[in-house]
Amino acid sequence: MKVISVSSPSSLWTTIRSVGVFNIGCSFIALWAFVKVLRALRWRLKTTQLRGPPRTSFVYGVLQELASSKDGGEMYERWATEHGVAYMIPSVLGQTRIVLCDPRAIAHFWARETWTYVLTPLSLVLQESVVGRGLLWAQGEDHRRQRKALTPAFSNTAIRKLTSVFYDSAYKAKCAWDIAMESSKDGDAIIEVQNWMNHISLDTIGIAGFSHDFGSLDGKRASVTEVFDTFGNNQKASVLNPGLLLALAFPVIIKIPNKRMNLVKKLGVAMEEISNELFIRSRREKDANTSGRDEEKSIIGLLINSEGQDAPLQMSKEEVVAQMKVLLLAGYETTSTALTWALIELSRHLDAQTSLREELLAFGPDPTYDQLKANLPYLDAVVHETLRLHPPLREFTRVAAEDDVIPLSEPVRTESGGMTDSISIAKGTLITIPVAAINRSSTIWGPDAKEFKPGRWLTEGGISGKAKEVHGHRHLLTFIDGPRTCLGKDFAIAEFKTVLLVLVKNFVFEMRDGSDTPSRSCEGTFIPSAGCWRGWYWGTLRVRRYE
C-alpha cells in the first residue's frame, strides 16, 4: 500500500518562507487585478457606453460634487438635458453608474427590482447595521414573503381604524402650542416644528403599530429618541462624507471603527432593545388575551403571528424585530420631515395656506378617513405637492444581478456617436434613479416644476402629459414603485393629512424672520438628519393662533 505523506504545519511554513511571503502576496494581488480587468472588459463589451459628464476626480468621480451641491437634483437634470434621458456618470475609483431619467426605462427597472436589480453591497451592510434583515434589507423571495406577511396591517380597513390615533397625536401638539402662546406677550411663539413633528410621528407609530405610548409629546425621553437626536446632531454622521463615498467601492471600509460607525451601531442597538422589549411585552399580552381577534390585524399582532410555527408566511424572530426597527425609523423622521416641509411651504406661500384653511373650516368637523381621501381636494393637493418637491429619499442606486436590456421612450446618443432606443446592461452595472430630479424636472413637469403650486393637482391640464408617463403613486417617485413600493404609503398620507388639517385649522404659520428666511434640503439622507439643518432655520417657524 502506497503511503502518502502529509506535510506538517511547520514544514508548510518553511516552504512558504522559502518561496517568499512577498512573492505570494504579489501573486494574489496580480490574480485579483487580473480578475478585475476581465470583469471590466466584460462589462465594457456588454454594456452600452453612453455619454455623460467628465470625471472631475479620480478618487470620487463626480460624487463629491453631488454631495456638496445644494441641489444635486438640479445637477442630474442638467446632465439629462445635455446627454439624454439615460447617461453615465463617473463614480469612485474608476467605477461608472448609469443614470435613468426616462419614465419607460424606470418602469422597466421597477418591474425587475429585488430580482434583476438588487441592493448594492454597501446598502446591504448599512441596512443590516441599522435595521437588521427586515423588509428593507431582504431581496427576491425573502422580500416577497416578508412583504406579503405585513400587507394586511396597511390595508384601508386597518388604517381607517387608526385615524383616531392620528387625531389624538395632532391634538396633543395643539394643546401644548396653545399653552406656549398663552404665556407669550405677543400671542405668538417661535416653535421648532421639526422636533414636534418627530414627536407626533414617533408617538403615532408607537400606539398604532405597537400599542405602546412613547410619551414624547408629554416630554418623556425614549432611549431611541436620544440616539436619533445624537445621530442627527453629529456632523460627522453625514451620509455623504468622503469615507462613505470610498466605501461604495470597498464596503469593508465601514467596518473600520470610527465615530460615525459607532453612532450607527448605537442607533441599531437602541432600536434593537426597544423592539425586543415591545415584542416580548406584546407577545405576553397576546398570550394572556387569547379571545381578542382585532390584535391579529394590527402590525404587532401580525408580526407575532408570523413567528408561529404554523404561520403560512413564517418570519424568524430576527426578521420580526427587524420589521419593528424599520417602522420605528420610518415613524420617527420620514413623515415628520414631509410635514415640516409642508408647513415651511405654506409659510412661504400664505395664499396657499389661506386657501387650505378656508377649505378645512368650510368642511366643518374633523373628517373621517374616507372623507380625508375623497372630500378635501386642496388638502390632497398640498400634501402631494409637498411630496413632489421634497421626497425623503432623494436618489437610490441598485446593482444589476444579471444581464438585461432596458428600453427607452426616446433614443439617446452613445459614446461612439450612434443613436439607440435601448441600453444593454451587464451584470454588476450600477443603476441610479434620481428621485428628486425627476419629481422636479422641467422637462417632465413643465416650466413651473420648481415652484410650490398645489393648484396643478386640481386642474385638468395641471399634470403634463410627460409626467403622466411616470409610474408611481400619483406619477411621483416619492414612494418608489414595483415590488419595493412603500408599504406604509397610505398610512403615511393619512397621518400627513390628519396632522396638517388640525394644525392649519388652528394656527397661522410664518417664516421666523420673514419669507426670505433661508432653508436647504439635505441630499441623500435616510438615517435621521436633523443635524444637517442646524443653523439654517430648519423647521423653526413663527406660529400664532388663528382667530
Side-chain angles (χ1 to χ4, degrees):
M1 185 172 90
K2 186 176 180 180
V3 178
I4 300 175
S5 63
V6 179
S7 300
S8 67
S10 59
S11 62
L12 182 62
W13 175 242
T14 302
T15 304
I16 291 174
R17 283 202 304 175
S18 65
V19 174
V21 174
F22 177 76
N23 289 337
I24 292 175
C26 288
S27 299
F28 275 115
I29 292 172
L31 179 61
W32 175 83
F34 180 68
V35 170
K36 285 288 185 182
V37 169
L38 283 180
R39 287 179 178 173
L41 285 173
R42 181 185 184 279
W43 175 83
R44 188 162 185 87
L45 289 171
K46 298 204 66 146
T47 301
T48 304
Q49 300 300 302
L50 302 171
R51 300 185 304 161
R55 181 177 294 276
T56 55
S57 165
F58 172 75
V59 178
Y60 300 114
V62 297
L63 297 193
Q64 201 164 34
E65 288 179 74
L66 280 167
S68 59
S69 170
K70 289 183 179 179
D71 189 354
E74 186 278 330
M75 293 182 68
Y76 280 120
E77 186 179 356
R78 174 163 48 84
W79 290 333
T81 302
E82 294 173 4
H83 306 294
V85 294
Y87 55 88
M88 285 180 167
I89 61 170
S91 186
V92 296
L93 299 177
Q95 291 184 353
T96 301
R97 298 183 184 187
I98 290 179
V99 180
L100 299 179
C101 297
D102 178 61
R104 186 181 180 194
I106 294 171
H108 175 92
F109 174 92
W110 290 145
R112 287 160 175 75
E113 205 183 356
T114 83
W115 301 94
T116 301
Y117 299 103
V118 299
L119 296 173
T120 64
L122 177 61
S123 294
L124 287 170
V125 173
L126 282 175
Q127 299 278 19
E128 187 174 8
S129 299
V130 179
V131 293
R133 299 191 171 194
L135 196 62
L136 292 182
W137 179 91
Q139 299 182 134
E141 187 58 35
D142 280 342
H143 181 270
R144 187 200 66 80
R145 172 178 53 81
Q146 292 186 28
R147 186 180 178 90
K148 191 171 182 180
L150 283 169
T151 296
F154 295 97
S155 65
N156 282 332
T157 302
I159 299 170
R160 188 177 289 111
K161 294 178 181 179
L162 296 174
T163 307
S164 61
V165 176
F166 305 151
Y167 277 119
D168 288 345
S169 295
Y171 276 110
K172 269 191 178 182
K174 174 197 174 295
C175 291
W177 290 8
D178 281 336
I179 293 171
M181 286 166 206
E182 285 173 2
S183 60
S184 170
K185 293 180 181 179
D186 301 323
D188 61 14
I190 302 300
I191 293 179
E192 291 191 20
V193 173
Q194 176 69 67
N195 288 341
W196 282 94
M197 297 306 106
N198 284 344
H199 296 329
I200 289 172
S201 295
L202 184 62
D203 283 2
T204 297
I205 193 61
I207 296 170
F210 311 119
S211 301
H212 174 80
D213 188 358
F214 287 102
S216 60
L217 285 166
D218 300 319
K220 296 179 183 177
R221 295 288 294 174
S223 60
V224 69
T225 311
E226 292 173 2
V227 177
F228 280 150
D229 289 346
T230 302
F231 197 96
N233 290 328
N234 189 282
Q235 295 300 317
K236 291 185 178 180
S238 170
V239 174
L240 292 173
N241 60 42
L244 193 58
L245 289 177
L246 286 177
L248 293 169
F250 302 106
V252 70
I253 288 176
I254 67 171
K255 295 288 187 180
I256 300 173
N258 57 57
K259 194 168 185 177
R260 182 187 189 285
M261 284 313 298
N262 288 340
L263 281 171
V264 170
K265 288 178 182 178
K266 191 175 180 182
L267 177 64
V269 168
M271 289 201 296
E272 182 90 16
E273 289 175 353
I274 189 66
S275 297
N276 271 310
E277 180 184 329
L278 292 172
F279 178 75
I280 293 169
R281 192 208 66 197
S282 299
R283 184 164 56 182
R284 189 183 302 125
E285 290 176 357
K286 180 179 182 293
D287 291 341
N289 182 26
T290 55
S291 62
R293 301 293 298 174
D294 287 343
E295 185 71 13
E296 295 180 4
K297 292 289 181 70
S298 69
I299 297 172
I300 188 66
L302 284 166
L303 289 172
I304 290 172
N305 287 343
S306 67
E307 193 204 15
Q309 293 290 332
D310 299 328
L313 296 166
Q314 189 178 5
M315 286 192 286
S316 66
K317 182 175 183 290
E318 178 190 34
E319 290 174 337
V320 169
V321 172
Q323 315 305 350
M324 298 174 73
K325 289 161 75 173
V326 169
L327 291 167
L328 284 173
L329 185 59
Y332 185 79
E333 192 197 37
T334 308
T335 305
S336 65
T337 300
L339 275 163
T340 304
W341 269 122
L343 294 175
I344 287 176
E345 292 292 3
L346 292 172
S347 299
R348 289 173 174 167
H349 303 87
L350 296 178
D351 55 338
Q353 186 178 157
T354 299
S355 296
L356 175 58
R357 187 176 296 109
E358 288 174 352
E359 177 183 81
L360 300 177
L361 292 171
F363 186 84
D366 290 338
T368 63
Y369 171 70
D370 296 291
Q371 290 169 334
L372 278 171
K373 290 187 72 173
N375 293 42
L376 295 163
Y378 201 80
L379 174 62
D380 185 79
V382 168
V383 166
H384 285 91
E385 185 69 347
T386 303
L387 293 171
R388 184 184 72 83
L389 285 173
H390 306 289
L393 185 65
R394 319 287 294 184
E395 64 181 73
F396 63 91
T397 298
R398 300 285 187 261
V399 61
E402 57 188 35
D403 295 350
D404 192 24
V405 177
I406 299 178
L408 302 173
S409 63
E410 59 185 80
V412 296
R413 193 172 297 280
T414 64
E415 187 181 54
S416 62
M419 301 295 290
T420 181
D421 57 6
S422 65
I423 50 178
S424 296
I425 302 294
K427 179 180 178 180
T429 302
L430 294 169
I431 305 287
T432 291
I433 309 293
V435 173
I438 296 166
N439 274 6
R440 301 194 303 240
S441 167
S442 299
T443 302
I444 294 174
W445 287 88
D448 59 357
K450 309 295 187 295
E451 301 174 31
F452 180 77
K453 292 183 66 175
R456 79 174 74 244
W457 299 91
L458 303 174
T459 59
E460 184 66 29
I463 308 299
S464 72
K466 192 73 173 174
K468 290 178 180 179
E469 296 176 13
V470 177
H471 285 232
H473 171 74
R474 302 290 285 274
H475 313 297
L476 300 175
L477 300 189
T478 305
F479 294 106
I480 311 184
D481 199 32
R484 283 197 181 273
T485 188
C486 177
L487 188 59
K489 167 178 60 66
D490 292 331
F491 181 103
I493 291 174
E495 181 186 355
F496 193 164
K497 288 183 176 181
T498 304
V499 176
L500 197 60
L501 178 146
V502 170
L503 297 181
V504 173
K505 274 180 73 171
N506 291 281
F507 301 103
V508 176
F509 296 87
E510 298 172 349
M511 300 301 289
R512 188 180 76 173
D513 297 315
S515 59
D516 294 331
T517 302
S519 63
R520 67 174 290 189
S521 61
C522 242
E523 297 288 341
T525 57
F526 174 75
I527 295 166
S529 53
C532 19
W533 313 101
R534 301 296 184 228
W536 287 84
Y537 307 101
W538 165 243
T540 304
L541 301 176
R542 187 177 299 277
V543 183
R544 58 183 171 84
R545 282 193 188 124
Y546 173 73
E547 300 295 345

